[in-house]
Amino acid sequence: MKKYYDLNEAVLPELNEIGGKAQSLIKLTQGGFNVPSGSVLSVDFFKDWLKQLVNVDSFVELTQDPNSYKELASKLKEKAQALEFTKEQINIIQSILSKYGINDMYAVRSSSPEEDLTGASFAGGYETVLGVTMDTIYPSVKDAFISCLDERVFFYKHQNDFDTSILRIAVVIQKQINSEVSGVGFSLNPLNNCFDEAVVNANSGLGESVVSGMVTPDEYVMDKVSMTILDKKLGSKEKAIILLENGGTKTVDGIQTEYALNDDQVLQLLKKIIEIENYYDFPVDIEWAFSKNRLYILQSRPITTYVPLPEDMQTKPDEKRVLYLDGSLTKQGITTPISFLGCDVIALTQSKMFERMLGKDCSKDVMGGLATTRGGRMYVNASSTIKFQGLKKVVKAWRTADIASAEMLETIDLSAYIPDKLPDAMKGLKWGAVKNNIGAVKLTMKASKNPLGYKAWYQPYEDAFDTYLDGTIKQLSDSKEVLSLRFETVFTEIINRYYELLNKMIPMTYAAELARKNIEKQLKKHFEDYEMKMQYLQRSLPDNVTIDMGLMMYAFSQMKEIKENSFDTFKHKLVKGKLSDEFLKQWENYVNQYGFRITNELDVAVVRPWDDLEVLFNQIKMMCDIDEAYSPQKIYDDSKQLREMTYLQLRKSISKSGRKKLDKKYTVLVELGGKREALKYWYARSLVVMRQILIKKAEEYVSIGVLKEVDDIFWLSLDQINRIETVSQSVLYGWIEKNKEYYCKLNRVHEFPKLIDSRGTILRMPMKEAEEGQLIGQPISPGIVTGRVKVLNEPNEKPLNKGEILVTRATDPGWTPLFINASAILLEVGGLLQHGALVAREYGKPCIAGIENVMHQLKDGQLIKIDAIQGIIEILDEDHEIKS
């Protein structure tokens, strides 16, 4: 390994030799871009220094504990300050400087092997020293080196799964450009994610004022297709950084009254940004500078924090765009990427369901179909759906899933997204829907006429499906033929069986929804507060599998076997058979019914609680300390009493003929309304069977040396799994690595958008007007509460203490235990029939949804007042008294 390389090297050195920044500069130079000349001191140049640093006391132990990174950085920096350049190092630096004039200045930049990668940028984590002279070159190189020991760098490595115990750094020495104007450029618009727009930020002087965030720079938004400037904003540019004649830099007053760039320079930059993006074949951000009207490229790195879109969902820049709605977020509350195989299984389900329900598969045509699952998400094609159904019907239907999405569709101008004619994939669906759902209509009428009789008729079918799923697992657990299974065949049979049950289950939910709408319509004529009365009428409905799970969890948490034992003690007693027979019987019943339920349960790759006894135990244990007065059972019973009391009061307030109608519809709502949650429950049960089959097959493949790890099977498609024995292991793992590529981008997404179009543009709702100190959302479970905020990304991220207000983006059944302690729930995503709303109403917890960006607007510990009758959140002063 060489000690240093020039930036004009013909052969690109390895990343682990020179780091991401230097490798990018060399690659840019090789591509013919105007990069200032320079060299890079390789990782090997600093090898002896790095060896001395890793001998610091407790080095390895400190690198493994994020709480120790501050101490670690302090120890390492103290030791690094005492390091001295060897004669060989001095000779190498002098050799590099000998290529330049005695009065030349240099930019010295650190370059880490983990920096400026497609999966991680480390932006701002390492050191750059500007205006370096021959007299200051050595301390500047040392400063750049020492930056790899910074606390921020250790944290970033930890968060991105880099080995924190490995220290590596290279340092670039580059000719300093004395720029009149400089800044950064993005090959996609970071404000709205649009792939067809580029953005440039600029200020006079050196680019450090822009990169460091010192000033508000000028901003230029450009169209990459038409090569025009779409918009420009004059920044305040309070300060600028310039070079001093004798070295170093100086901060001066900025030029605030005029743009830093003229339009010709902006378009010159646009052309160069497009060239660099095409050269790398991925979105980039660059650092640039104009000196004596000549454009220099100072750096290029991958943009790592944009929302990607699968290529087959993208239209060409000059084509009519397609609008996609993220159903996995807005309908299912899934905030993280669905696994590669998980997408394939859901896509297979969609395909079979569309065939059965609509007469043909309208998911294959991604651009013109109804929905698709790929790229880690479940997308609804809003363009073709609106063309097919009409905007009003789509908005009305979607409002029950996510109010904010419905309002966006209603408010934003969608004319650019609606196709001129109905796509071929959607033709014939109305007739197909009618033909394939005549039976469902008849069953809905049957359920509406006699809800109790319908439930009795339906139950044997549910029991038979349960027996079928259990039998499938038992059959395969002893089977030697698991390796010969074709998954599409087995999974299609499970899906078809599920659909047969669904055919009989959905009419109950249809009947309940029709009853709810009729009651609401009836109450609207007589009561101003009909919405609140309607909320009360929907509480504590029987046969709600999610609520039943919560009640059973609480009942278990009060048993001494859970309440009085730690997990280790419980596990020991369970293994040794020291738990009572009565408890074991109930425990087995609970595990079989609910042990598979967890957040993101629609992903076949997600580990289930029953696969990890500690997770299952802790789910229940967290309810142990709930006071009986606040128990789920008490809340359920009180809510049931409130529902019945509300119903009786309503009966007294309306006419005799109205009473008869109310009685009939109320009976349907109560008897069948709770069954809505069963749709997802039984699909999740089906997925668990599929998961167990997959794991069984993966274990067999590991045992014969085809797969290296069991979980590797989740990085393959169903088709690839079927071909697994026909290819070599190198080909197989080539598939896996290829399948992982997109997920490297996907895992960088902090928040998936509700609406995104086929050129990557994220559509957002204009912010609602609110008074100062207030947030506004949609009330979906009434009540008024004052309490402190707890913001959670995941259910098990941190404890939710009794009385705290749960703030998150979206929820699914895996969040149910947290609703017990929460005094109220605030959601960015949600509608009247989404999981969070249903459970909040059942538990009598005030809930507001549709609060844009709520997780960033509120912070842990903040004192707020929730008025979930009007949908208002008020941020309070600390001296406000909380009244219990």
Side-chain angles (χ1 to χ4, degrees):
M1 187 183 288
K2 292 173 64 175
K3 301 286 186 183
Y4 81 99
Y5 295 90
D6 290 328
L7 297 185
N8 60 359
E9 295 282 343
V11 178
L12 189 67
E14 293 294 324
L15 179 71
N16 61 4
E17 293 183 78
I18 60 171
K21 188 173 292 181
Q23 193 180 61
S24 177
L25 290 170
I26 293 173
K27 192 170 182 179
L28 282 167
T29 304
Q30 290 175 343
F33 297 100
N34 188 27
V35 177
S37 60
S39 302
V40 53
L41 305 174
S42 71
V43 172
D44 199 52
F45 178 92
F46 299 103
K47 182 173 64 177
D48 292 338
W49 284 8
L50 293 169
K51 280 183 179 178
Q52 293 179 57
L53 290 174
V54 298
N55 288 326
V56 165
D57 290 342
S58 305
F59 173 78
V60 174
E61 291 83 355
L62 292 172
T63 61
Q64 305 308 307
D65 180 11
N67 294 321
S68 301
Y69 289 164
K70 186 172 184 178
E71 177 189 351
L72 174 64
S74 177
K75 281 186 174 184
L76 291 174
K77 286 181 179 181
E78 183 180 357
K79 187 163 186 176
Q81 291 293 348
L83 295 171
E84 295 183 356
F85 288 91
T86 65
K87 187 175 182 180
E88 181 187 21
Q89 287 174 319
I90 292 171
N91 289 338
I92 289 171
I93 293 174
Q94 288 301 319
S95 174
I96 291 170
L97 299 187
S98 67
K99 302 170 187 176
Y100 302 96
I102 192 168
N103 294 319
D104 280 337
M105 283 189 275
Y106 311 93
V108 176
R109 309 172 188 271
S110 56
S111 178
S112 165
E114 293 97 0
E115 182 184 23
D116 292 349
L117 311 177
T118 54
S121 70
F122 279 77
Y126 292 100
E127 185 70 27
T128 292
V129 187
L130 304 176
V132 177
T133 64
M134 288 190 176
D135 292 336
T136 58
I137 188 70
Y138 294 106
S140 299
V141 168
K142 182 182 276 191
D143 285 345
F145 167 82
I146 288 174
S147 68
C148 81
L149 312 175
D150 196 272
E151 179 185 0
R152 294 171 301 169
V153 173
F154 283 109
F155 270 115
Y156 196 92
K157 283 184 175 183
H158 171 73
Q159 290 169 352
N160 289 274
D161 296 325
F162 291 112
D163 190 339
T164 49
S165 66
I166 296 177
L167 299 180
R168 296 183 299 181
I169 196 71
V171 173
V172 176
I173 300 174
Q174 208 174 1
K175 186 173 179 179
Q176 177 73 65
I177 300 301
N178 189 6
S179 52
E180 294 89 29
V181 58
S182 53
V184 296
F186 305 86
S187 69
L188 59 75
N189 189 334
L191 304 175
N192 65 6
N193 206 66
C194 181
F195 303 158
D196 295 330
E197 294 176 3
V199 176
V200 163
N201 291 155
N203 190 21
S204 57
L206 303 180
E208 189 64 17
S209 67
V210 177
V211 175
S212 67
M214 176 190 294
V215 300
T216 303
D218 295 340
E219 181 179 279
Y220 308 82
V221 180
M222 300 152 288
D223 189 311
K224 291 156 63 178
V225 181
S226 63
M227 299 296 290
T228 57
I229 300 171
L230 297 174
D231 188 30
K232 55 183 181 181
K233 294 177 183 175
L234 190 66
S236 55
K237 305 193 300 292
E238 303 90 343
K239 301 291 180 182
I241 298 173
I242 60 171
L243 285 175
L244 293 172
E245 189 174 336
N246 296 321
T249 61
K250 179 182 178 182
T251 301
V252 298
D253 290 336
I255 303 171
Q256 298 180 278
T257 56
E258 56 186 70
Y259 284 101
L261 294 169
N262 60 49
D263 288 359
D264 287 342
Q265 288 175 315
V266 173
L267 294 176
Q268 186 181 346
L269 264 168
L270 173 60
K271 183 179 178 183
K272 199 59 60 179
I273 288 169
I274 294 171
E275 288 177 9
I276 295 171
E277 181 180 51
N278 291 337
Y279 177 62
Y280 281 104
D281 198 28
F282 51 68
V284 295
D285 77 71
I286 69 167
E287 295 177 29
W288 54 269
F290 276 105
S291 179
K292 298 178 181 177
N293 210 33
R294 189 179 183 194
L295 175 60
Y296 291 88
I297 304 301
L298 308 180
Q299 185 54 273
S300 175
R301 63 178 67 86
I303 295 176
T304 61
T305 55
Y306 73 105
V307 180
L309 201 64
E311 286 187 13
D312 57 0
M313 289 179 65
Q314 297 180 31
T315 48
K316 294 178 182 177
D318 57 349
E319 291 179 340
K320 193 176 188 76
R321 297 186 182 189
V322 176
L323 183 63
Y324 302 107
L325 196 158
D326 188 338
S328 44
L329 171 65
T330 56
K331 214 159 192 176
Q332 303 299 340
I334 300 173
T335 58
T336 53
I338 301 169
S339 70
F340 187 84
L341 182 56
C343 283
D344 215 32
V345 171
I346 294 172
L348 176 65
T349 305
Q350 283 180 325
S351 174
K352 299 304 175 186
M353 294 283 283
F354 287 148
E355 286 176 0
R356 298 291 297 267
M357 295 181 73
L358 302 174
K360 68 175 182 178
D361 181 6
C362 49
S363 65
K364 288 182 179 177
D365 184 348
V366 177
M367 300 292 189
L370 191 62
T372 186
T373 299
R374 60 192 63 228
R377 311 303 295 160
M378 299 163 63
Y379 291 104
V380 174
N381 187 322
S383 295
S384 56
T385 304
I386 291 170
K387 184 66 177 179
F388 177 66
Q389 289 186 295
L391 180 60
K392 285 186 178 179
K393 286 186 178 178
V394 172
V395 168
K396 187 177 180 181
W398 211 259
R399 190 173 290 276
T400 60
D402 180 45
I403 290 162
S405 297
E407 289 184 354
M408 286 170 69
L409 290 172
E410 199 171 30
T411 305
I412 297 170
D413 182 6
L414 301 177
S415 57
Y417 296 109
I418 310 303
D420 299 326
K421 60 180 183 179
L422 191 67
D424 290 342
M426 304 293 285
K427 290 177 180 176
L429 289 191
K430 286 185 179 178
W431 169 242
V434 170
K435 186 173 70 172
N436 286 274
N437 290 280
I438 291 174
V441 173
K442 291 180 179 178
L443 290 177
T444 301
M445 293 171 63
K446 180 180 177 180
S448 296
K449 189 175 181 179
N450 183 6
L452 283 168
Y454 191 95
K455 279 170 68 174
W457 170 82
Y458 161 81
Q459 193 57 47
Y461 292 100
E462 190 174 280
D463 295 340
F465 185 64
D466 192 13
T467 301
Y468 161 73
L469 292 178
D470 287 343
T472 302
I473 289 301
K474 289 174 183 175
Q475 178 186 348
L476 289 171
S477 64
D478 301 324
S479 175
K480 298 290 185 181
E481 299 176 1
V482 70
L483 290 179
S484 64
L485 287 175
R486 286 189 62 83
F487 282 109
E488 286 93 340
T489 305
V490 179
F491 288 5
T492 298
E493 182 185 348
I494 294 172
I495 292 165
N496 284 338
R497 294 275 193 126
Y498 169 70
Y499 179 78
E500 291 298 334
L501 180 67
L502 204 64
N503 251 348
K504 299 169 180 65
M505 192 190 310
I506 285 179
M508 290 190 287
T509 64
Y510 284 171
E513 180 60 14
L514 286 171
R516 187 192 67 79
K517 287 180 178 178
N518 281 323
I519 294 172
E520 186 175 46
K521 188 176 179 180
Q522 186 179 5
L523 297 186
K524 191 174 182 180
K525 293 178 181 179
H526 301 286
F527 307 100
E528 287 187 8
D529 62 343
Y530 74 94
E531 289 180 322
M532 186 179 295
K533 286 181 167 56
M534 199 65 232
Q535 298 272 12
Y536 292 151
L537 288 180
Q538 296 175 81
R539 289 187 174 180
S540 295
L541 301 178
D543 301 319
N544 185 317
V545 70
T546 304
I547 300 304
D548 290 347
M549 177 181 74
L551 295 176
M552 191 178 286
M553 289 176 76
Y554 173 73
F556 258 108
S557 73
Q558 301 307 298
M559 292 184 179
K560 64 179 183 179
E561 288 86 349
I562 301 288
K563 200 165 190 174
E564 298 176 4
N565 290 315
S566 66
F567 169 69
D568 289 336
T569 305
F570 175 82
K571 183 180 178 182
H572 174 76
K573 289 181 177 179
L574 186 66
V575 172
K576 297 294 184 181
K578 294 183 177 181
L579 298 172
S580 69
D581 291 342
E582 182 185 353
F583 175 84
L584 288 173
K585 184 178 179 181
Q586 293 184 55
W587 175 258
E588 184 179 357
N589 182 41
Y590 174 79
V591 171
N592 288 337
Q593 283 193 55
Y594 303 115
F596 62 89
R597 304 220 73 178
I598 194 168
T599 188
N600 296 352
E601 63 187 1
L602 295 190
D603 187 350
V604 74
V606 170
V607 177
R608 312 291 150 161
W610 64 17
D611 294 327
D612 187 338
L613 187 62
E614 187 170 8
V615 172
L616 194 60
F617 179 85
N618 289 335
Q619 273 187 341
I620 299 169
K621 183 77 172 179
M622 67 190 298
M623 293 187 174
C624 280
D625 296 328
I626 297 174
D627 295 341
E628 188 177 344
Y630 298 96
S631 75
Q633 190 63 57
K634 175 75 163 52
I635 293 170
Y636 182 86
D637 293 340
D638 288 348
S639 294
K640 181 180 177 181
Q641 186 176 0
L642 177 61
R643 166 170 58 80
E644 293 172 344
M645 186 172 64
T646 302
Y647 164 62
L648 292 173
Q649 288 173 347
L650 290 172
R651 288 189 86 253
K652 292 178 182 178
S653 305
I654 58 179
S655 65
K656 188 175 181 181
S657 60
R659 265 181 240 149
K660 188 175 181 181
K661 182 180 178 182
L662 177 64
D663 291 346
K664 183 179 178 182
K665 298 304 177 185
Y666 176 73
T667 301
V668 175
L669 178 63
V670 171
E671 294 299 334
L672 304 181
K675 275 294 185 181
R676 184 183 182 279
E677 287 285 288
L679 278 69
K680 188 175 182 180
Y681 173 86
W682 286 108
Y683 182 59
R685 279 287 302 270
S686 302
L687 282 177
V688 166
V689 175
M690 298 180 198
R691 173 178 167 80
Q692 289 172 296
I693 294 170
L694 284 162
I695 290 174
K696 174 70 174 175
K697 190 161 186 172
E699 288 171 346
E700 294 291 337
Y701 279 134
V702 170
S703 70
I704 61 175
V706 174
L707 283 177
K708 298 175 184 176
E709 301 286 343
V710 169
D711 285 349
D712 289 345
I713 201 165
F714 296 111
W715 284 107
L716 295 167
S717 68
L718 292 170
D719 179 62
Q720 287 170 339
I721 293 171
N722 286 331
R723 296 159 56 198
I724 203 168
E725 294 180 62
T726 67
V727 298
S728 65
Q729 194 178 71
S730 62
V731 170
L732 176 64
Y733 277 87
W735 290 344
I736 289 175
E737 289 308 308
K738 180 69 177 173
N739 296 342
K740 285 182 177 181
E741 284 179 10
Y742 185 81
Y743 278 77
C744 287
K745 304 174 190 175
L746 211 57
N747 289 330
R748 300 288 303 169
V749 177
H750 297 300
E751 289 185 354
F752 289 100
K754 299 181 183 78
L755 286 170
I756 186 169
D757 74 18
S758 55
R759 294 304 302 158
T761 302
I762 295 170
L763 281 71
R764 295 184 175 92
M765 186 77 171
M767 289 296 291
K768 293 181 180 179
E769 290 188 13
E771 294 181 14
E772 187 176 351
Q774 287 187 346
L775 304 176
I776 294 178
Q778 181 71 31
I780 55 178
S781 180
I784 298 175
V785 163
T786 298
R788 296 198 178 274
V789 166
K790 179 62 69 70
V791 180
L792 291 174
N793 292 286
E794 299 290 340
N796 299 320
E797 181 184 355
K798 51 196 169 188
L800 181 74
N801 300 314
K802 179 184 167 185
E804 289 183 321
I805 295 169
L806 170 61
V807 177
T808 190
R809 194 147 196 241
T811 66
D812 65 11
W815 289 79
T816 301
L818 279 76
F819 280 62
I820 308 302
N821 273 349
S823 61
I825 298 95
L826 299 181
L827 304 169
E828 180 176 329
V829 178
L832 289 170
L833 296 180
Q834 209 253 10
H835 170 268
L838 288 168
V839 178
R841 284 197 297 270
E842 289 292 344
Y843 286 158
K845 303 297 175 82
C847 182
I848 302 176
I851 314 157
E852 199 66 30
N853 212 26
V854 66
M855 294 179 69
H856 300 290
Q857 296 198 65
L858 296 174
K859 298 178 181 178
D860 280 2
Q862 213 165 9
L863 189 62
I864 63 173
K865 178 181 178 182
I866 291 175
D867 181 346
I869 299 171
Q870 299 184 71
I872 296 173
I873 301 102
E874 184 181 356
I875 300 171
L876 303 175
D877 296 330
E878 279 303 308
D879 58 359
H880 184 93
E881 182 182 354
I882 302 178
K883 296 179 181 179
S884 57

